[in-house]
């Protein structure tokens, strides 16, 4: 009887949780399986590339290295709006230590991280590495310590002088109130509170004869 065995595995340089297939000869050579593989060569090629990444076999030349030392690899190019300096981007991410793959943070299960690109709200490696992505795109960032948390590290999870790997996805570019709120520390709640406080002072600037009794 033909069998298929699955061996789940994950690597911090891969965008996906992957599996290996072990096919018995009868299944591997069956017309139904071979026909499906023949009709989907692009899928097979893409799977091979991702599996190479999962095994840590992506060569350095596959990455783009910038003058600052940042490395990035576009896993999915995306086809939406381009992230440019000043845009409020919304990014899903998972961060791991480059040294051993230990995960130290992830937005999975939370809202995407929203920030103004190029405003210094995040580590320099993100301001540089997210720029140029298109909405829907997925990019691996290999951020040297000098563009991350440097000699100090960050708490107990990121030791000093740690290079970091981020699997990122640009899920959107905010506009309107969402964009304005993202530029204010504390986000939308602080924007609402600040607006209410500002409005509460308006009566003091009105002429006394029209000022509400409460503010006299």
């Amino acid at each position: 009887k033909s069998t298929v065995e699955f061996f789940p595995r994950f690597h911090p340089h891969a965008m996906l949780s992957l599996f290996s297939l072990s096919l018995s000869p009868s299944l591997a050579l069956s017309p139904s399986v071979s026909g499906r593989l023949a009709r989907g060569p692009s899928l097979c090629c893409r799977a091979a590339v991702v599996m190479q990444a999962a095994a840590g076999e992506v060569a350095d030349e596959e990455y783009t290295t910038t003058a600052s030392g940042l490395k990035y690899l576009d896993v999915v190019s995306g086809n939406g709006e381009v992230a440019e300096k000043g845009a409020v981007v919304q990014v899903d991410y998972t961060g791991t230590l480059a040294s051993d793959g230990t995960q130290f943070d992830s937005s999975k299960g939370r809202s995407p991280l929203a920030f103004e690109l190029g405003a210094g709200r995040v580590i320099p490696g993100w301001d540089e590495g997210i720029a140029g992505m298109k909405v829907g795109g997925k990019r691996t960032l290999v951020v040297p310590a000098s563009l991350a948390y440097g000699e100090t590290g960050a708490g107990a999870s990121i030791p000093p002088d740690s290079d970091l790997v981020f699997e990122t996805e640009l899920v959107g570019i905010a506009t309107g109130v969402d964009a304005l709120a993202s530029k204010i520390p504390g986000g939308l709640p602080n924007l609402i509170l600040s607006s209410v406080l500002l409005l509460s002072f308006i009566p003091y600037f009105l002429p006394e004869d029209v000022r509400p009794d409460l503010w006299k």
Side-chain angles (χ1 to χ4, degrees):
K1 183 179 180 179
S2 300
T3 59
V4 180
E5 297 175 352
F6 294 87
F7 303 97
R9 59 186 177 140
F10 180 78
H11 188 278
H13 288 78
M15 289 302 300
L16 302 172
S17 295
L18 303 172
F19 56 84
S20 299
L21 296 177
S22 176
L23 304 179
S24 66
S26 60
L27 181 59
L29 298 177
S30 69
S32 60
V33 173
S34 61
R36 289 177 184 175
L37 292 179
R39 287 195 295 271
S42 62
L43 177 61
C44 296
C45 292
R46 182 178 178 186
V49 171
V50 177
M51 290 180 71
Q52 284 181 344
E57 297 173 356
V58 177
D60 280 346
E61 55 264 28
E62 296 292 330
Y63 287 85
T64 298
T65 302
T66 69
S68 67
L70 174 75
K71 295 182 180 180
Y72 68 88
L73 175 67
D74 284 318
V75 180
V76 177
S77 296
N79 54 12
E81 187 178 352
V82 178
E84 299 178 342
K85 184 177 181 180
V88 175
V89 295
Q90 299 166 323
V91 180
D92 264 333
Y93 69 93
T94 296
T96 57
L97 301 179
S99 59
D100 60 9
T102 299
Q103 180 176 311
F104 58 83
D105 193 16
S106 178
S107 66
K108 302 302 181 182
R110 310 195 308 254
S111 298
L113 177 64
F115 63 94
E116 183 180 358
L117 190 61
R121 298 279 300 277
V122 292
I123 59 174
W126 268 50
D127 268 338
E128 181 180 356
I130 299 300
M133 289 184 68
K134 294 181 179 180
V135 173
K138 298 181 179 181
R139 177 176 288 183
T140 301
L141 303 178
V142 182
V143 183
S146 59
L147 298 178
Y149 298 98
E151 298 178 353
T152 59
S157 57
I158 303 179
D161 297 314
S162 293
D163 295 343
L164 307 178
V165 177
F166 292 95
E167 306 296 349
T168 67
E169 178 181 2
L170 182 59
V171 298
I173 296 179
T175 58
V177 174
D178 287 339
L180 178 61
S182 297
K183 295 181 180 182
I184 296 176
L188 185 59
N190 273 7
L191 175 61
I192 295 173
L193 179 60
S194 299
S195 299
V196 170
L197 290 175
L198 180 62
L199 290 173
S200 70
F201 281 96
I202 290 179
Y204 290 106
F205 296 95
L206 297 175
E208 189 171 353
D209 58 338
V210 297
R211 189 184 304 168
D213 293 338
L214 182 61
W215 279 269
K216 290 184 179 179

